[in-house]
Amino acid sequence: MTDLDLTAFADLGVFTPADGPDVAEAFYRRWGFVVLRDLVASEVIDAMEAECVAAQRGVLAGELDARFGSTKYLDDATKAEKFVNYVEHVEELAPTIGATLATPALVELVGRILGPDFWPGRNGVVYQDARPGRESGYSRIGWHADWQSVPHLDIWPGTAFTIHIDATSPANGFLRVVPGSHLWATPSPFENINNVPVPEGAPPARGYTDTPPPAPMPLGFERIRGEIPVYVERGDVILHDAYLWHSAARATDDHTMRRHVRGGWHGGDRSLMDRETGFVKNAAR
C-alpha cells in the first residue's frame, strides 16, 4: 500500500508568481478558482490591516461619510449600530489596496481571464469582518454565484478577489466551492430563500456552457456533492469566477474572526458600469 500524499490536497489550487501565469490560468479555467500565494508582502498586509481597522472604527464612530458603511449584506441591519462588518469603498481609505490590485502578476492573470479591457465593480472594494458573535450581522453566507446578484445586466463574465488578512480554518470559517460549477448554465435566482424579486430582463441561466447543473443549487447551507473547502494563509489572494457556486462556512469558535478585502472585475459591457441596479440578495445568511 502506497502512502497518500496529503500535501497535494492541502495545496490544491495554490500558485505563486514563480509558477508563472500559464498554470494559474489553466487551473482557474478548469475549476473556477485559484489561490495566489506570495503575491502580497507581509509588511503590506500588516499596513492594509491597520488601514482597514482604522476605517472600520471610523464608520462605527460616525466619523466617516455614510457611503462607507453598509447594511445591505447583513442578516439584521440594526446590528450595524453595534458592530461594523463591512466598510464599502475601502480602497479610498486604504492606499495599500490600490497598490496591491495594481501588482503586475495579478493584472496579467485577470487580463488573461477576462480580457485586457476588464473593469472594476461599481461598488468598489469592501473590507469584510465576519464574526460569529451575537453583535455580528454577518457570519456566513449560503450557496450562490456572484452573477446572481445582478442577473439582468450583461456585465458578465467576471471574477472576484479576496485578499485575506486572516488565515482561514474551520475555527474561523472558510470558503466552500463546487469546482467546475462555473461551466454549468446556472439558473437565475427566480427562487431564493429571501423571496426577493429578480429584475426584468434576467436570462433563464448564465454560465460558460449550456450544460445544466446536475442538481439544483441549494437555497441554504446544505452539503453539495463534490464541494471542497478552500483554506488560505494570511496574505493569500483568491480569485473565483462569478459563475462558480460557492458559500462561506460559519466559524466554530465564537472568539475568532475572518477578515478580508474583497471586490471584483467584469469583462462584459462596460457601458453598464454605472447603471443603477438593485442588489438581488438571494443568498441565505
Side-chain angles (χ1 to χ4, degrees):
M1 182 177 178
T2 59
D3 293 333
L4 182 63
D5 183 6
L6 296 179
T7 304
F9 291 94
D11 292 334
L12 180 67
V14 177
F15 301 95
T16 70
D19 294 317
D22 291 342
V23 290
E25 179 190 4
F27 187 92
Y28 180 99
R29 291 195 181 280
R30 176 62 184 87
W31 301 114
F33 74 97
V34 69
V35 179
L36 306 175
R37 184 162 292 164
D38 299 336
L39 185 74
V40 188
S42 59
E43 60 268 23
V44 174
I45 289 295
D46 292 344
M48 189 180 299
E49 177 183 0
E51 292 169 350
C52 289
V53 170
Q56 183 182 31
R57 290 171 177 166
V59 169
L60 185 60
E63 299 169 351
L64 297 175
D65 190 279
R67 67 188 291 271
F68 293 109
S70 175
T71 61
K72 66 183 179 181
Y73 305 113
L74 304 183
D75 62 358
D76 181 351
T78 63
K79 291 182 179 180
E81 299 173 1
K82 300 178 181 178
F83 184 77
V84 175
N85 289 102
Y86 291 95
V87 180
E88 288 197 45
H89 306 287
V90 71
E91 75 279 12
E92 299 175 17
L93 306 171
T96 54
I97 294 174
T100 298
L101 297 181
T103 302
L106 180 60
V107 172
E108 179 181 0
L109 180 56
V110 176
R112 283 171 170 241
I113 293 169
L114 296 179
D117 296 326
F118 67 89
W119 46 278
R122 63 186 302 274
N123 290 325
V125 181
V126 176
Y127 170 65
Q128 179 173 308
D129 185 332
R131 304 191 185 197
R134 290 184 178 181
E135 79 284 355
S136 177
Y138 180 90
S139 62
R140 62 179 182 173
I141 192 168
W143 289 107
H144 66 287
D146 288 344
W147 75 271
Q148 292 177 322
S149 66
V150 189
H152 56 300
L153 296 184
D154 291 327
I155 59 177
W156 313 104
T159 192
F161 66 82
T162 52
I163 306 169
H164 284 266
I165 291 175
D166 297 308
T168 63
S169 70
N172 70 340
F174 57 91
L175 181 68
R176 303 163 66 190
V177 306
V178 182
S181 55
H182 63 309
L183 302 177
W184 301 335
T186 298
S188 288
F190 297 114
E191 179 185 5
N192 61 77
I193 199 165
N194 298 314
N195 295 315
V196 295
V198 172
E200 293 184 7
R206 288 188 190 270
Y208 289 111
T209 74
D210 295 328
T211 303
M217 178 185 287
L219 295 182
F221 307 93
E222 299 90 329
R223 175 182 174 271
I224 295 181
R225 184 175 183 179
E227 72 164 277
I228 65 169
V230 180
Y231 298 125
V232 295
E233 301 297 332
R234 177 178 170 88
D236 284 356
V237 179
I238 297 179
L239 296 181
H240 75 260
D241 200 88
Y243 298 142
L244 185 74
W245 292 24
H246 62 285
S247 64
R250 187 184 189 277
T252 57
D253 184 342
D254 286 345
H255 303 289
T256 59
M257 56 187 170
R258 183 178 75 255
R259 300 168 298 169
H260 61 251
V261 171
R262 66 173 178 84
W265 297 283
H266 300 279
D269 187 347
R270 188 164 189 157
S271 70
L272 301 174
M273 178 178 179
D274 295 321
R275 178 75 63 85
E276 287 295 329
T277 62
F279 172 71
V280 180
K281 189 176 180 179
N282 64 297
R285 262 67 174 178

Short mmCIF file of all heavy atoms in Angstrom, two decimals, residues 177-223:
data_model
loop_
_atom_site.label_atom_id
_atom_site.label_comp_id
_atom_site.label_asym_id
_atom_site.label_seq_id
_atom_site.Cartn_x
_atom_site.Cartn_y
_atom_site.Cartn_z
N VAL A 177 -16.49 25.71 -2.12
CA VAL A 177 -16.70 25.85 -3.55
C VAL A 177 -17.06 24.51 -4.16
O VAL A 177 -16.73 23.45 -3.62
CB VAL A 177 -15.46 26.43 -4.28
CG1 VAL A 177 -15.00 27.75 -3.66
CG2 VAL A 177 -14.32 25.43 -4.31
N VAL A 178 -17.74 24.58 -5.30
CA VAL A 178 -18.01 23.38 -6.11
C VAL A 178 -17.14 23.52 -7.37
O VAL A 178 -17.51 24.26 -8.29
CB VAL A 178 -19.49 23.26 -6.48
CG1 VAL A 178 -19.73 21.99 -7.29
CG2 VAL A 178 -20.35 23.26 -5.22
N PRO A 179 -15.98 22.88 -7.39
CA PRO A 179 -15.06 23.06 -8.53
C PRO A 179 -15.73 22.69 -9.85
O PRO A 179 -16.41 21.66 -9.96
CB PRO A 179 -13.92 22.10 -8.20
CG PRO A 179 -13.98 21.92 -6.73
CD PRO A 179 -15.43 21.96 -6.38
N GLY A 180 -15.53 23.52 -10.85
CA GLY A 180 -16.07 23.26 -12.17
C GLY A 180 -17.50 23.72 -12.37
O GLY A 180 -18.01 23.66 -13.50
N SER A 181 -18.16 24.20 -11.33
CA SER A 181 -19.57 24.61 -11.45
C SER A 181 -19.75 25.87 -12.30
O SER A 181 -20.86 26.15 -12.75
CB SER A 181 -20.19 24.82 -10.07
OG SER A 181 -19.43 25.75 -9.30
N HIS A 182 -18.65 26.61 -12.54
CA HIS A 182 -18.75 27.79 -13.40
C HIS A 182 -19.04 27.40 -14.85
O HIS A 182 -19.44 28.24 -15.66
CB HIS A 182 -17.46 28.61 -13.32
CG HIS A 182 -16.24 27.90 -13.81
ND1 HIS A 182 -15.88 26.64 -13.37
CD2 HIS A 182 -15.30 28.27 -14.73
CE1 HIS A 182 -14.76 26.27 -13.98
NE2 HIS A 182 -14.40 27.23 -14.80
N LEU A 183 -18.81 26.13 -15.17
CA LEU A 183 -19.06 25.66 -16.52
C LEU A 183 -20.52 25.29 -16.76
O LEU A 183 -20.91 25.03 -17.90
CB LEU A 183 -18.16 24.46 -16.81
CG LEU A 183 -16.65 24.70 -16.68
CD1 LEU A 183 -15.88 23.41 -16.93
CD2 LEU A 183 -16.19 25.80 -17.63
N TRP A 184 -21.32 25.25 -15.70
CA TRP A 184 -22.74 24.93 -15.84
C TRP A 184 -23.54 26.18 -16.22
O TRP A 184 -23.12 27.30 -15.97
CB TRP A 184 -23.30 24.38 -14.53
CG TRP A 184 -22.64 23.15 -14.04
CD1 TRP A 184 -21.97 22.22 -14.79
CD2 TRP A 184 -22.54 22.70 -12.68
NE1 TRP A 184 -21.47 21.22 -13.98
CE2 TRP A 184 -21.81 21.48 -12.69
CE3 TRP A 184 -23.01 23.19 -11.46
CZ2 TRP A 184 -21.54 20.77 -11.52
CZ3 TRP A 184 -22.74 22.49 -10.30
CH2 TRP A 184 -22.02 21.29 -10.33
N ALA A 185 -24.70 25.96 -16.79
CA ALA A 185 -25.65 27.04 -17.04
C ALA A 185 -26.56 27.15 -15.82
O ALA A 185 -27.59 26.49 -15.74
CB ALA A 185 -26.45 26.76 -18.31
N THR A 186 -26.15 27.97 -14.86
CA THR A 186 -26.87 28.09 -13.60
C THR A 186 -28.08 29.00 -13.77
O THR A 186 -27.97 30.10 -14.30
CB THR A 186 -25.95 28.66 -12.51
OG1 THR A 186 -24.85 27.76 -12.32
CG2 THR A 186 -26.69 28.84 -11.20
N PRO A 187 -29.25 28.58 -13.30
CA PRO A 187 -30.46 29.41 -13.45
C PRO A 187 -30.37 30.73 -12.68
O PRO A 187 -29.68 30.82 -11.66
CB PRO A 187 -31.57 28.51 -12.87
CG PRO A 187 -31.04 27.12 -12.98
CD PRO A 187 -29.56 27.25 -12.76
N SER A 188 -31.06 31.73 -13.20
CA SER A 188 -31.23 32.97 -12.43
C SER A 188 -31.98 32.63 -11.14
O SER A 188 -32.74 31.66 -11.09
CB SER A 188 -32.03 33.99 -13.24
OG SER A 188 -31.27 34.51 -14.30
N PRO A 189 -31.78 33.43 -10.08
CA PRO A 189 -32.36 33.09 -8.77
C PRO A 189 -33.83 33.47 -8.64
O PRO A 189 -34.22 34.17 -7.71
CB PRO A 189 -31.48 33.88 -7.81
CG PRO A 189 -31.10 35.10 -8.59
CD PRO A 189 -30.91 34.62 -10.01
N PHE A 190 -34.65 32.99 -9.60
CA PHE A 190 -36.08 33.29 -9.52
C PHE A 190 -36.69 32.73 -8.24
O PHE A 190 -37.62 33.29 -7.67
CB PHE A 190 -36.79 32.73 -10.75
CG PHE A 190 -36.33 33.33 -12.04
CD1 PHE A 190 -35.65 32.57 -12.99
CD2 PHE A 190 -36.54 34.67 -12.32
CE1 PHE A 190 -35.23 33.12 -14.18
CE2 PHE A 190 -36.11 35.24 -13.51
CZ PHE A 190 -35.44 34.46 -14.44
N GLU A 191 -36.12 31.61 -7.77
CA GLU A 191 -36.50 31.05 -6.48
C GLU A 191 -35.32 31.26 -5.53
O GLU A 191 -34.21 30.79 -5.81
CB GLU A 191 -36.83 29.57 -6.59
CG GLU A 191 -37.21 28.93 -5.26
CD GLU A 191 -37.42 27.43 -5.34
OE1 GLU A 191 -37.16 26.86 -6.42
OE2 GLU A 191 -37.84 26.84 -4.33
N ASN A 192 -35.52 31.99 -4.44
CA ASN A 192 -34.43 32.21 -3.50
C ASN A 192 -34.99 32.27 -2.08
O ASN A 192 -36.18 32.53 -1.87
CB ASN A 192 -33.64 33.47 -3.84
CG ASN A 192 -34.47 34.73 -3.80
OD1 ASN A 192 -34.77 35.25 -2.72
ND2 ASN A 192 -34.89 35.22 -4.98
N ILE A 193 -34.14 32.04 -1.11
CA ILE A 193 -34.57 31.87 0.27
C ILE A 193 -35.08 33.17 0.88
O ILE A 193 -35.85 33.16 1.85
CB ILE A 193 -33.43 31.28 1.11
CG1 ILE A 193 -33.97 30.67 2.40
CG2 ILE A 193 -32.36 32.32 1.40
CD1 ILE A 193 -32.98 29.77 3.11
N ASN A 194 -34.66 34.32 0.32
CA ASN A 194 -35.10 35.61 0.85
C ASN A 194 -36.34 36.15 0.14
O ASN A 194 -36.82 37.23 0.49
CB ASN A 194 -33.96 36.62 0.73
CG ASN A 194 -32.75 36.20 1.55
OD1 ASN A 194 -32.87 35.81 2.70
ND2 ASN A 194 -31.57 36.28 0.95
N ASN A 195 -36.81 35.41 -0.86
CA ASN A 195 -38.02 35.81 -1.61
C ASN A 195 -37.90 37.21 -2.20
O ASN A 195 -38.88 37.96 -2.25
CB ASN A 195 -39.26 35.71 -0.72
CG ASN A 195 -39.56 34.29 -0.29
OD1 ASN A 195 -39.51 33.37 -1.09
ND2 ASN A 195 -39.86 34.12 1.00
N VAL A 196 -36.71 37.56 -2.65
CA VAL A 196 -36.53 38.87 -3.29
C VAL A 196 -36.82 38.74 -4.79
O VAL A 196 -36.53 37.70 -5.39
CB VAL A 196 -35.11 39.42 -3.06
CG1 VAL A 196 -34.87 39.70 -1.59
CG2 VAL A 196 -34.06 38.46 -3.60
N PRO A 197 -37.40 39.76 -5.39
CA PRO A 197 -37.71 39.68 -6.83
C PRO A 197 -36.46 39.82 -7.68
O PRO A 197 -35.50 40.50 -7.31
CB PRO A 197 -38.66 40.85 -7.05
CG PRO A 197 -38.29 41.84 -5.97
CD PRO A 197 -37.89 41.01 -4.78
N VAL A 198 -36.49 39.18 -8.83
CA VAL A 198 -35.40 39.30 -9.81
C VAL A 198 -35.83 40.32 -10.85
O VAL A 198 -36.95 40.26 -11.37
CB VAL A 198 -35.12 37.93 -10.46
CG1 VAL A 198 -34.13 38.07 -11.61
CG2 VAL A 198 -34.57 36.96 -9.43
N PRO A 199 -34.97 41.29 -11.18
CA PRO A 199 -35.36 42.34 -12.13
C PRO A 199 -35.73 41.78 -13.50
O PRO A 199 -35.24 40.72 -13.91
CB PRO A 199 -34.09 43.22 -12.22
CG PRO A 199 -33.36 42.95 -10.95
CD PRO A 199 -33.63 41.52 -10.62
N GLU A 200 -36.56 42.52 -14.20
CA GLU A 200 -36.93 42.13 -15.56
C GLU A 200 -35.69 42.14 -16.45
O GLU A 200 -34.79 42.96 -16.28
CB GLU A 200 -37.97 43.11 -16.12
CG GLU A 200 -39.32 43.04 -15.42
CD GLU A 200 -40.33 43.95 -16.09
OE1 GLU A 200 -40.00 44.53 -17.15
OE2 GLU A 200 -41.44 44.10 -15.55
N GLY A 201 -35.66 41.22 -17.40
CA GLY A 201 -34.54 41.13 -18.32
C GLY A 201 -33.52 40.09 -17.93
O GLY A 201 -32.56 39.86 -18.67
N ALA A 202 -33.69 39.46 -16.77
CA ALA A 202 -32.75 38.41 -16.35
C ALA A 202 -32.93 37.20 -17.26
O ALA A 202 -34.05 36.77 -17.52
CB ALA A 202 -32.98 38.02 -14.90
N PRO A 203 -31.85 36.61 -17.75
CA PRO A 203 -31.95 35.44 -18.61
C PRO A 203 -32.31 34.21 -17.79
O PRO A 203 -32.18 34.21 -16.56
CB PRO A 203 -30.55 35.32 -19.20
CG PRO A 203 -29.67 35.85 -18.11
CD PRO A 203 -30.45 36.99 -17.49
N PRO A 204 -32.75 33.14 -18.45
CA PRO A 204 -33.05 31.91 -17.70
C PRO A 204 -31.84 31.36 -16.95
O PRO A 204 -31.98 30.83 -15.85
CB PRO A 204 -33.51 30.93 -18.80
CG PRO A 204 -33.98 31.81 -19.91
CD PRO A 204 -33.09 33.03 -19.87
N ALA A 205 -30.64 31.53 -17.54
CA ALA A 205 -29.43 30.98 -16.92
C ALA A 205 -28.21 31.66 -17.50
O ALA A 205 -28.27 32.29 -18.56
CB ALA A 205 -29.36 29.47 -17.15
N ARG A 206 -27.10 31.53 -16.79
CA ARG A 206 -25.80 32.01 -17.29
C ARG A 206 -24.73 31.00 -16.91
O ARG A 206 -24.85 30.30 -15.90
CB ARG A 206 -25.42 33.38 -16.72
CG ARG A 206 -26.22 34.56 -17.25
CD ARG A 206 -25.62 35.87 -16.76
NE ARG A 206 -26.45 37.03 -17.03
CZ ARG A 206 -26.41 37.77 -18.13
NH1 ARG A 206 -25.56 37.43 -19.09
NH2 ARG A 206 -27.19 38.82 -18.27
N GLY A 207 -23.66 30.97 -17.68
CA GLY A 207 -22.52 30.10 -17.44
C GLY A 207 -21.70 30.01 -18.71
O GLY A 207 -22.06 30.60 -19.73
N TYR A 208 -20.61 29.27 -18.66
CA TYR A 208 -19.74 29.19 -19.83
C TYR A 208 -20.18 28.13 -20.84
O TYR A 208 -19.63 28.06 -21.94
CB TYR A 208 -18.30 28.92 -19.39
CG TYR A 208 -17.67 30.10 -18.71
CD1 TYR A 208 -17.36 30.08 -17.35
CD2 TYR A 208 -17.37 31.27 -19.42
CE1 TYR A 208 -16.79 31.18 -16.72
CE2 TYR A 208 -16.80 32.37 -18.81
CZ TYR A 208 -16.51 32.31 -17.45
OH TYR A 208 -15.94 33.40 -16.84
N THR A 209 -21.12 27.28 -20.47
CA THR A 209 -21.66 26.29 -21.39
C THR A 209 -23.17 26.25 -21.23
O THR A 209 -23.74 26.91 -20.36
CB THR A 209 -21.09 24.88 -21.11
OG1 THR A 209 -21.69 24.35 -19.91
CG2 THR A 209 -19.57 24.91 -20.96
N ASP A 210 -23.81 25.44 -22.06
CA ASP A 210 -25.25 25.24 -21.96
C ASP A 210 -25.60 24.03 -21.12
O ASP A 210 -26.77 23.65 -21.03
CB ASP A 210 -25.86 25.07 -23.36
CG ASP A 210 -25.74 26.34 -24.20
OD1 ASP A 210 -25.78 27.44 -23.60
OD2 ASP A 210 -25.59 26.23 -25.43
N THR A 211 -24.61 23.43 -20.48
CA THR A 211 -24.83 22.23 -19.67
C THR A 211 -25.54 22.60 -18.37
O THR A 211 -25.04 23.41 -17.60
CB THR A 211 -23.50 21.55 -19.33
OG1 THR A 211 -22.81 21.23 -20.54
CG2 THR A 211 -23.73 20.28 -18.52
N PRO A 212 -26.70 22.02 -18.11
CA PRO A 212 -27.40 22.34 -16.86
C PRO A 212 -26.70 21.72 -15.66
O PRO A 212 -25.99 20.71 -15.79
CB PRO A 212 -28.79 21.74 -17.07
CG PRO A 212 -28.57 20.62 -18.03
CD PRO A 212 -27.46 21.08 -18.95
N PRO A 213 -26.87 22.28 -14.47
CA PRO A 213 -26.29 21.67 -13.26
C PRO A 213 -26.87 20.28 -13.05
O PRO A 213 -28.01 20.00 -13.42
CB PRO A 213 -26.72 22.62 -12.14
CG PRO A 213 -27.06 23.91 -12.82
CD PRO A 213 -27.59 23.53 -14.16
N PRO A 214 -26.08 19.38 -12.42
CA PRO A 214 -26.58 18.03 -12.16
C PRO A 214 -27.70 17.99 -11.13
O PRO A 214 -28.45 17.02 -11.06
CB PRO A 214 -25.35 17.29 -11.66
CG PRO A 214 -24.45 18.35 -11.12
CD PRO A 214 -24.69 19.55 -11.99
N ALA A 215 -27.82 19.05 -10.34
CA ALA A 215 -28.88 19.16 -9.33
C ALA A 215 -29.10 20.64 -9.06
O ALA A 215 -28.22 21.46 -9.32
CB ALA A 215 -28.49 18.43 -8.05
N PRO A 216 -30.26 21.03 -8.55
CA PRO A 216 -30.50 22.45 -8.26
C PRO A 216 -29.53 22.97 -7.19
O PRO A 216 -29.10 22.24 -6.31
CB PRO A 216 -31.95 22.46 -7.74
CG PRO A 216 -32.56 21.20 -8.27
CD PRO A 216 -31.46 20.19 -8.30
N MET A 217 -29.24 24.26 -7.28
CA MET A 217 -28.43 24.89 -6.24
C MET A 217 -29.25 24.94 -4.95
O MET A 217 -30.39 25.40 -4.96
CB MET A 217 -28.03 26.31 -6.66
CG MET A 217 -27.22 27.06 -5.60
SD MET A 217 -26.89 28.79 -6.07
CE MET A 217 -25.66 28.59 -7.37
N PRO A 218 -28.69 24.48 -3.82
CA PRO A 218 -29.44 24.55 -2.55
C PRO A 218 -29.76 25.99 -2.19
O PRO A 218 -29.01 26.92 -2.50
CB PRO A 218 -28.46 23.93 -1.54
CG PRO A 218 -27.52 23.10 -2.36
CD PRO A 218 -27.39 23.81 -3.66
N LEU A 219 -30.86 26.18 -1.50
CA LEU A 219 -31.26 27.52 -1.08
C LEU A 219 -30.54 27.96 0.18
O LEU A 219 -30.50 29.16 0.49
CB LEU A 219 -32.77 27.57 -0.86
CG LEU A 219 -33.64 27.36 -2.10
CD1 LEU A 219 -35.12 27.50 -1.73
CD2 LEU A 219 -33.27 28.32 -3.21
N GLY A 220 -30.00 27.02 0.93
CA GLY A 220 -29.35 27.36 2.20
C GLY A 220 -27.89 26.97 2.24
O GLY A 220 -27.09 27.35 1.39
N PHE A 221 -27.54 26.17 3.25
CA PHE A 221 -26.15 25.83 3.53
C PHE A 221 -25.86 24.34 3.37
O PHE A 221 -24.84 23.84 3.82
CB PHE A 221 -25.79 26.25 4.96
CG PHE A 221 -26.12 27.68 5.26
CD1 PHE A 221 -27.35 28.02 5.83
CD2 PHE A 221 -25.25 28.70 4.94
CE1 PHE A 221 -27.67 29.34 6.09
CE2 PHE A 221 -25.56 30.03 5.19
CZ PHE A 221 -26.77 30.35 5.77
N GLU A 222 -26.77 23.65 2.70
CA GLU A 222 -26.66 22.20 2.60
C GLU A 222 -25.34 21.75 1.95
O GLU A 222 -24.71 22.49 1.20
CB GLU A 222 -27.82 21.64 1.77
CG GLU A 222 -29.19 21.91 2.35
CD GLU A 222 -29.80 23.20 1.87
OE1 GLU A 222 -29.05 24.16 1.58
OE2 GLU A 222 -31.04 23.26 1.80
N ARG A 223 -24.96 20.53 2.25
CA ARG A 223 -23.79 19.93 1.62
C ARG A 223 -24.10 19.64 0.16
O ARG A 223 -25.20 19.20 -0.19
CB ARG A 223 -23.42 18.63 2.33
CG ARG A 223 -22.29 17.85 1.68
CD ARG A 223 -22.02 16.56 2.44
NE ARG A 223 -21.04 15.74 1.77
CZ ARG A 223 -21.32 14.82 0.84
NH1 ARG A 223 -22.58 14.61 0.48
NH2 ARG A 223 -20.35 14.10 0.28
#
